[in-house]
Amino acid sequence: MQLRSGLQQATSSRISSAGARAAIARPAGPKRFSKGVVMAAAVAGVAVKEVATTPYDGQKTGTSGLRKKTRDFMKPNYLANWVQSLFNALGSEVAGETLGLGGDGRYFGVEAAQIIIKLAAGNGFAKVVVGRDALMATPAMSAVIRRRKLYGGLIMSASHNPGGPDNDFGIKFNYKAGEPAPEKITDKIYAETQTISGLRVADIPDVDLSKVGTTRFGSFEVEVVDPVADYLATLKEVFDFPALRAFVSRPDFTMTFDSMHAITGPYAKAIFEGELGAAAGTVVNGVPLPDFGGGHPDPNLTYAHDLVETMWAADAPALGAASDGDGDRNMVLGARHFVSPSDSVAMIAANAADCIPYFKGGLKGVARSMPTGAALDRVAAKLKVPFFETPTGWKFFGNLMDAGKCSICGEESFGTGADHIREKDGIFAVLCWLSILAHKNKGVPAGGKLVTVADVASEFWSEYGRNFFSRYDYEECDSAAAGRMVDHVRSVIAASPPGTKFGAFTLAAADDFAYTDPIDGSVAKGQGLRFVFDDGSRIIFRLSGTGSSGATIRLYIEQYTDDKARLQEDAQVALKDIINVALELSKLKEFTGREKPTVIT
Ligand code: VG1
Ligand code: CO
């Protein structure tokens, strides 16, 4: 509770009179503070303290929110500074509005929620809707914002980063349509954090977040809600739950879902075991723990190793899946079969209209992030729907969806989603795969051979060919060394005109990816160094924007084949040559001293 004592330490607090005035709209533009000013009540009946503060360095939003060490977030006013900066950036818009709030259950979440509630009341919000025990998965927050028409929501999560006092905490803001805040908002927040001088804190007690119900302070309300209900209602509008229930209850079908001790436990239990009637115990590691059981809640082949073992066993279930800390990522596996996320989004898109009621009328368009494998491009061409290639990070999909140009989108980083909400959605992806399997197995009698995940993949590859894809992560490298490697790769790009040979590959183009949003014209530059070869193969380098210390280098590799004899090849074998080209041209080992990546996908 260091942070709260930080608020209390402030010497320049003033309590304003708690008059019976209605909410006062603050003037547009950032709010500036001057010592000793008595603040007006932001909401009728609530006294507001003005608390002096000073800026912290480096409160810059990365790919998805602000992520730092938990101990940084626990420093006096660290979280409050960022939240107040957000409210300053939003200006008078927030007066009388309702804010959503919740997080992935990691350490410091409940304390953080109490701080945020006081700031929301102090800044003129009329109401906060918060998940019970301050819990709310990222996709669920997006659903809550949309269903309840909230002004926006704050998600307390560092997603797939480990949690606990010695690991990471994070915060992100989602806006009116449920989408991650666009860069024009996050840039403003950062500017505010550099000059912040005061906090507007409502003088109200902590709220009991353990029980569903409403607490009132004057005309300010805090409503504690079941974190699952709205999200489930949204998913019921997308999928045919009775059909899925019938399929899941087949005695010859089994599945397992690993919540990795993170937020999806309560959701997965309610949906798979409750609504769909899967056997008790289908959901494993289903109780959210403040430190995720000491694990790394990132659903990939390295960190979800228990699930991988289960799925490679002789008696493996037909479907296995896992999700990350905040529930927006998914990994999908069949028995002894890994579905690459780049393929997963393409396979879902190819089958969506036939298998999922929400997409019955066809897709409006599809989108993927630039480093994501290009299988989805082929599906778009076949379906004759618009296709978009965006920078890494979900915030770039929001505008396309709001404009009705994109139904399904995905990222290679285990992110899959659709326009039912504005976030990637782990459980949604699993329900998509269940829907595909349910549809393809409709005519299979009990005891017959079920169509498997591997069968769905093979069928797709024989139709479209296969985009082999792999990502190498070099986590927590020395930042300066990583920077030097990036500079070197830039110099290689500058010196390599089309036609340059790299091993057996001939360069078609190389650049630093930039994106112009087709809806609002905003431009995002410096989004990844890419080499595209004349056979469509690609090598991409990016620095991660979600880490909390050091630099994580991501190397993405892709190569296409329509050679029927090679479709089932192991991706690492298929990509061996091009991976070597990437390591050589970047001198990655030389610059970083790393012999091997930390994670291979
Ligand atoms: C990573 C992924 C990116 C994803 C982001 C947030 O970003 O590469 O695709 O959108 O994490 O995911 P970066 O900058 O580290 O490469 V989540 O589930 O952590 O909110
Ligand atoms: Co996440």
Side-chain angles (χ1 to χ4, degrees):
M1 299 308 288
Q2 268 166 288
L3 207 147
R4 178 118 25 89
S5 62
L7 291 178
Q8 285 156 357
Q9 272 163 23
T11 48
S12 68
S13 299
R14 291 283 187 281
I15 309 279
S16 66
S17 69
R21 279 162 288 179
I24 297 169
R26 291 194 281 113
K31 178 85 189 83
R32 297 284 169 230
F33 293 81
S34 54
K35 273 194 179 175
V37 172
V38 176
M39 310 301 295
V43 194
V46 175
V48 178
K49 282 187 288 186
E50 180 210 339
V51 176
T53 189
T54 50
Y56 279 97
D57 277 344
Q59 291 197 316
K60 195 169 170 49
T61 306
T63 311
S64 175
L66 178 71
R67 295 183 196 186
K68 296 285 177 199
K69 292 291 166 206
T70 309
R71 291 200 195 281
D72 284 332
F73 266 101
M74 292 168 70
K75 287 178 184 162
N77 294 346
Y78 190 94
L79 169 71
N81 270 14
W82 190 88
V83 174
Q84 181 67 56
S85 295
L86 163 70
F87 295 158
N88 290 349
L90 298 170
S92 59
E93 260 186 50
V94 307
E97 294 283 354
T98 301
L99 180 73
L101 178 62
D104 60 10
R106 72 179 61 219
Y107 185 85
F108 189 58
V110 174
E111 289 89 336
Q114 301 290 0
I115 291 165
I116 292 168
I117 290 169
K118 293 179 177 70
L119 285 163
N123 280 272
F125 277 95
K127 181 171 176 177
V128 171
V129 171
V130 54
R132 191 183 47 235
D133 295 323
L135 296 178
M136 189 73 78
T138 290
M141 177 60 79
S142 192
V144 166
I145 293 171
R146 294 173 70 76
R147 291 190 87 80
R148 294 175 182 249
K149 301 196 169 26
L150 304 190
Y151 174 81
L154 281 166
I155 304 168
M156 302 173 293
S157 168
S159 188
H160 56 285
N161 299 19
D166 297 321
N167 284 301
D168 290 359
F169 192 79
I171 180 118
K172 47 187 179 175
F173 176 66
N174 283 38
Y175 207 30
K176 292 176 199 250
E179 79 279 28
E183 284 187 336
K184 62 174 189 275
I185 294 184
T186 55
D187 288 348
K188 265 197 209 165
I189 303 171
Y190 182 52
E192 289 288 334
T193 63
Q194 293 169 307
T195 56
I196 188 160
S197 60
L199 310 169
R200 293 169 61 94
V201 185
D203 193 31
I204 54 175
D206 282 359
V207 179
D208 179 2
L209 300 179
S210 68
K211 284 185 210 76
V212 167
T214 298
T215 310
R216 290 188 180 81
F217 304 99
S219 62
F220 176 71
E221 276 182 22
V222 178
E223 184 183 355
V224 178
V225 298
D226 168 7
V228 179
D230 283 354
Y231 176 66
L232 176 60
T234 294
L235 290 179
K236 283 190 171 172
E237 292 168 3
V238 176
F239 297 100
D240 182 346
F241 268 58
L244 295 183
R245 190 179 169 91
F247 177 64
V248 168
S249 64
R250 283 180 72 129
D252 49 358
F253 175 78
T254 47
M255 67 176 285
T256 181
F257 186 95
D258 189 344
S259 289
M260 302 189 83
H261 304 289
I263 189 64
T264 53
Y267 295 86
K269 278 190 199 155
I271 293 168
F272 299 117
E273 295 183 13
E275 296 288 330
L276 301 183
T282 294
V283 177
V284 298
N285 302 323
V287 177
L289 299 176
D291 66 346
F292 308 121
H296 198 140
D298 196 352
N300 60 38
L301 296 169
T302 303
Y303 296 126
H305 44 81
D306 290 351
L307 174 67
V308 172
E309 247 171 57
T310 304
M311 295 308 294
W312 257 260
D315 60 347
L319 181 67
S323 58
D324 71 331
D326 62 333
D328 54 358
R329 296 186 178 204
N330 73 94
M331 176 165 71
V332 167
L333 305 164
R336 293 164 296 283
H337 183 94
F338 167 64
V339 185
S340 142
S342 300
D343 275 354
S344 181
V345 63
M347 292 169 186
I348 289 171
N351 287 293
D354 289 343
C355 307
I356 302 167
Y358 182 75
F359 302 113
K360 211 170 46 213
L363 305 182
K364 296 169 188 152
V366 294
R368 63 162 171 82
S369 66
M370 182 275 283
T372 302
L376 185 62
D377 313 27
R378 299 174 194 281
V379 175
K382 164 97 190 294
L383 297 178
K384 297 193 172 60
V385 298
F387 164 80
F388 302 90
E389 183 178 41
T390 59
T392 293
W394 212 260
K395 57 186 170 231
F396 296 101
F397 295 129
N399 274 351
L400 298 173
M401 292 183 167
D402 288 347
K405 290 182 182 299
C406 174
S407 297
I408 292 179
C409 54
E411 295 192 279
E412 46 63 42
S413 54
F414 299 88
T416 319
D419 63 351
H420 63 303
I421 56 170
R422 294 293 180 274
E423 280 282 4
K424 56 188 187 250
D425 188 344
I427 288 179
F428 160 85
V430 180
L431 292 173
C432 286
W433 274 93
L434 267 181
S435 302
I436 294 171
L437 293 176
H439 180 81
K440 296 202 183 275
N441 282 299
K442 252 186 202 152
V444 180
K449 193 202 161 298
L450 286 180
V451 175
T452 64
V453 170
D455 294 336
V456 175
S458 297
E459 189 191 331
F460 180 91
W461 292 333
S462 4
E463 180 168 358
Y464 294 94
R466 180 167 173 194
N467 287 76
F468 287 104
F469 179 87
S470 184
R471 182 173 110 179
Y472 280 26
D473 296 324
Y474 299 82
E475 295 176 330
E476 298 199 30
C477 292
D478 175 67
S479 298
R484 283 193 292 274
M485 190 206 84
V486 168
D487 289 344
H488 167 70
V489 175
R490 274 185 215 289
S491 72
V492 175
I493 290 179
S496 308
T500 306
K501 288 272 187 199
F502 289 87
F505 299 88
T506 306
L507 191 71
D511 66 357
D512 192 348
F513 181 62
Y515 176 70
T516 303
D517 185 298
I519 313 303
D520 66 14
S522 59
V523 177
K525 290 188 179 151
Q527 298 295 320
L529 300 171
R530 60 174 176 176
F531 296 79
V532 183
F533 300 100
D534 63 359
D535 62 351
S537 304
R538 296 190 302 162
I539 295 174
I540 295 147
F541 296 92
R542 258 188 84 246
L543 292 184
S544 158
T546 57
S548 64
S549 58
T552 292
I553 299 172
R554 305 204 194 284
L555 162 61
Y556 311 79
I557 308 111
E558 175 177 25
Q559 194 172 5
Y560 176 74
T561 186
D562 54 7
D563 178 351
K564 297 268 184 259
R566 293 191 53 209
L567 294 178
Q568 302 294 335
E569 224 168 82
D570 179 82
Q572 297 307 316
V573 175
L575 296 170
K576 199 164 163 282
D577 289 349
I578 191 165
I579 289 171
N580 285 335
V581 167
L583 294 176
E584 270 166 36
L585 81 79
S586 62
K587 301 197 176 145
L588 188 143
K589 286 184 196 173
E590 225 168 292
F591 280 108
T592 64
R594 296 289 177 93
E595 283 298 319
K596 281 198 180 114
T598 345
V599 177
I600 296 183
T601 296

